[in-house]
Amino acid sequence: MRRLDASKIPRHVAIIPDGNGRWAESRGLPRNLGHKQGTEAVRVVVRAAHELGIERLTVYAFSTENWARPPEEVEAIMDLLDRYIVAETDYLVSNGIRVEVIGRMQMLDARIQERLVEIVRRTEGNDELRLTFALSYSGRSEIVDAVRAIAREVEAGNLEPEAIDEKCLQAHLYAPEVPDPDLLIRTGGEHRVSNFLLWQLAYTELWTSETLWPDFTKSDLVEALAAYQQRERRFGRTGAQAREPVS
Ligand code: FPP
């Protein structure tokens, strides 16, 4: 496995785990088995992220667009999520992992909502790795929800339109205190953002892989981190400016 610079581990890694369906279809298996194996990869990668010292991991587990998939597939993914939480609770609780959720939770089945509320509550004192699942999530909906909340404050007379700036919008996102991802990993050979964290990805480094999500392992994660460590993050400045120490 590659050597990593421990001082340059990205603090927040976001993942679009793509390719479950193709993984199954290429083996002549039903798509749901791809999602099952994809859940196993989530389990493996959460442990790996923890071991590697990543502070935050955000996984795009179900998009608002995914509701349009055949009902059996939606049900299978929800069932896997449910089972994942049940099977992983002890590990998450006792290993300092704090679970959080972003997205339009009200669209999820009541049973799943309860399960999520419970795991969020049981892990809220943990502070080693913050693991966020984006569920029934889309970046555009998140921005729409933030704008609605801001509009309500303006309507109530509690906010001047001139006071609306980037900081204000950020403060109305689903997880306002979470810093933007440093690195976005997308598997499955596609090179797009697919409505994920549209606001937060402004200066995130992107890394894509041909590997289908169910085949993704710790060594793939290490490869992504090694590539990240070679990048120069300029945030719109020149290379020379970006290398100057922040005063
Ligand atoms: C993308 O593969 C994956 C999904 C839409 C669902 C992701 C679900 C999991 C990783 C499992 C459940 C989640 C958790 C948090 C345990 P795809 O179906 O779009 O694959 P394809 O592009 O090959 O069709």
Side-chain angles (χ1 to χ4, degrees), residues 19 23 59 109 115 125 182 202 212:
W23 183 91
V59 180
D109 213 72
R115 191 75 83 199
D182 300 297
L212 301 175

Side-chain angles (χ1 to χ4, degrees), residues 17-22 31 35 38-39 42 61 66 69 77 81 84 133 213:
D18 194 15
N20 292 348
R22 279 167 285 160
R31 290 176 59 84
H35 295 310
T39 310
V42 170
N66 289 154
R69 292 193 176 197
I77 294 174
L81 175 66
Y84 168 86
F133 289 115
W213 177 249

Side-chain angles (χ1 to χ4, degrees), residues 178-242:
V178 176
D180 294 342
D182 300 297
L183 172 66
L184 171 70
I185 295 174
R186 180 168 187 149
T187 60
E190 309 290 359
H191 303 91
R192 52 179 175 260
V193 169
S194 296
N195 216 348
F196 190 37
L197 301 175
L198 294 182
W199 177 272
Q200 298 87 337
L201 292 179
Y203 284 103
T204 299
E205 296 296 323
L206 308 184
W207 185 83
T208 58
S209 163
E210 293 299 316
T211 302
L212 301 175
W213 177 249
D215 291 328
F216 199 84
T217 61
K218 182 175 181 181
S219 72
D220 295 295
L221 180 61
V222 169
E223 195 185 328
L225 299 196
Y228 169 84
Q229 295 191 337
Q230 299 303 313
R231 305 271 178 94
E232 181 181 65
R233 303 191 71 193
R234 293 195 291 275
F235 300 95
R237 292 171 292 167
T238 67
Q241 284 173 322

Side-chain angles (χ1 to χ4, degrees), residues 7-9 11 34 49 63 81 85 87-88 91 103 117 123 129-130 157 163 172 174 180 188-190 203 208 238 247:
S7 70
K8 283 168 66 181
I9 297 291
R11 294 178 65 195
S63 72
L81 175 66
I85 297 171
E88 289 292 276
Y91 169 78
V117 167
T123 59
L129 168 69
R130 284 175 81 155
H172 290 82
Y174 295 142
D180 294 342
E190 309 290 359
Y203 284 103
T208 58
T238 67
S247 55

